[in-house]
Amino acid sequence: MNPLAKRIIPCLDIKEGRVVKGVNFLGLRDAGDPVEVARRYNEEGADEIAFLDITATHERRDTMCDIVRAVAKEVFIPLTVGGGIRKLEDMYTLLNAGCDKVSINSSAIKNPSLVDEGAKRFGSQCIVVAIDAKSKADRSGWNVYINGGRIDTGIDLLEWTKEVYERGAGEILLTSMDADGTKAGYDCEQLQTLSKLVDIPLIASGGAGTMEHIKEAFLSGADAALAATIFHYKEIDIMDLKRYLRSEGIEVRL
């Protein structure tokens, strides 16, 4: 696979073993069986799939492992799983079940050494640090939020990105809370700023509404674009998107 090819990653929110879809975690509707949905994305040309256990608790870890096992049997593209991963054992359990990467967010803020430990134990390529960021009130930059965007940590986005990079994160999954759910485009200023700061892959998340938005994210320094709604409700077909990107001079895997 061309390492320079840009990646398209559909994201599936999982609650109690089902794919759900809502706006800002509210009004969740059942959107299908994870294995079926993952299989569909695999056939439609997705480069990777991300699963997010949005109500992750210890009791539900087993459900998630069962899903990962079932999906890994059916799907032959990389699988990233996030939600409720608090310690090395959790990473081991999920990687052992068949996912390729684990994504950590709030737990990395609460225990930054989890990034170092995970990278050392499983390799940087397995560790994705997800960051939810929102503009500061004075527009002087962005702060990092945790707990599904409910708590402002007061930590500066650039400082935190640099820290997790130095600790061994293999990728950054950046969600712009200002853009998320708006379908008005990714936060390109944020992407440009971060892509100049670190030289690990940057996954853009939050705000995709059109094919042009995804092109803009790539031109702004993103290595991959993650989206949910546009793929879920078939507003954009993945292969159509890839053909469009290629026609615009952006390297993708067809």
Side-chain angles (χ1 to χ4, degrees):
M1 187 171 161
N2 179 352
L4 299 174
K6 304 291 188 184
R7 291 170 287 146
I8 304 296
I9 309 176
C11 180
L12 308 181
D13 291 338
I14 307 285
K15 183 180 185 215
E16 286 153 10
R18 300 288 293 175
V19 179
V20 292
K21 205 59 221 132
V23 177
N24 299 15
F25 299 121
L26 303 171
L28 294 174
R29 305 207 295 274
D30 186 284
D33 169 61
V35 182
E36 292 299 316
V37 180
R39 190 189 288 131
R40 191 189 100 205
Y41 283 137
N42 185 58
E43 286 163 2
E44 286 176 5
D47 296 298
E48 295 184 16
I49 294 174
F51 278 132
L52 190 59
D53 187 352
I54 60 171
T55 52
T57 61
H58 183 66
E59 300 81 74
R60 298 207 180 93
R61 171 97 49 243
D62 295 341
T63 308
M64 204 56 185
C65 285
D66 291 342
I67 292 169
V68 169
R69 271 188 212 99
V71 170
K73 280 197 192 94
E74 300 278 335
V75 169
F76 304 101
I77 51 179
L79 200 55
T80 299
V81 177
I85 297 167
R86 295 182 183 89
K87 49 192 196 295
L88 271 189
E89 289 74 35
D90 299 337
M91 294 181 181
Y92 178 77
T93 303
L94 286 162
L95 290 164
N96 209 28
C99 76
D100 301 272
K101 305 175 199 178
V102 290
S103 168
I104 51 176
N105 188 333
S106 304
S107 58
I109 293 269
K110 291 168 186 163
N111 173 20
S113 63
L114 190 58
V115 181
D116 317 52
E117 289 166 11
K120 206 185 279 158
R121 175 80 179 274
F122 308 111
S124 284
Q125 79 286 348
C126 289
I127 309 300
V128 179
V129 175
I131 305 177
D132 298 333
K134 191 176 186 180
S135 289
K136 295 179 185 178
D138 62 1
R139 315 293 289 172
S140 65
W142 305 271
N143 273 2
V144 175
Y145 281 65
I146 56 169
N147 288 50
R150 287 185 286 276
I151 297 172
D152 181 356
T153 62
I155 297 169
D156 178 76
L157 169 65
L158 305 192
E159 283 169 22
W160 179 235
T161 300
K162 222 148 99 193
E163 180 174 341
V164 298
Y165 167 68
E166 283 161 5
R167 286 179 178 274
E171 293 188 293
I172 303 277
L173 167 52
L174 177 67
T175 300
S176 162
M177 290 174 59
D178 302 300
D180 196 42
T182 62
K183 288 196 170 179
Y186 295 94
D187 186 332
C188 291
E189 186 196 342
Q190 209 177 61
L191 291 168
Q192 283 162 1
T193 308
L194 252 58
S195 68
K196 292 190 187 100
L197 193 67
V198 293
D199 62 359
I200 52 174
L202 193 55
I203 305 166
S205 165
T210 66
M211 294 190 189
E212 288 75 19
H213 292 155
I214 291 172
K215 176 183 86 169
E216 284 157 14
F218 288 146
L219 294 176
S220 301
D223 298 273
L226 180 136
T229 308
I230 55 169
F231 297 139
H232 229 66
Y233 295 119
K234 300 192 162 119
E235 292 165 27
I236 291 179
D237 174 84
I238 294 173
M239 287 315 286
D240 288 349
L241 169 62
K242 287 185 163 188
R243 283 188 280 268
Y244 161 76
L245 291 168
R246 184 157 282 189
S247 75
E248 294 289 314
I250 290 166
E251 183 62 43
V252 288
R253 195 169 59 93
L254 284 177

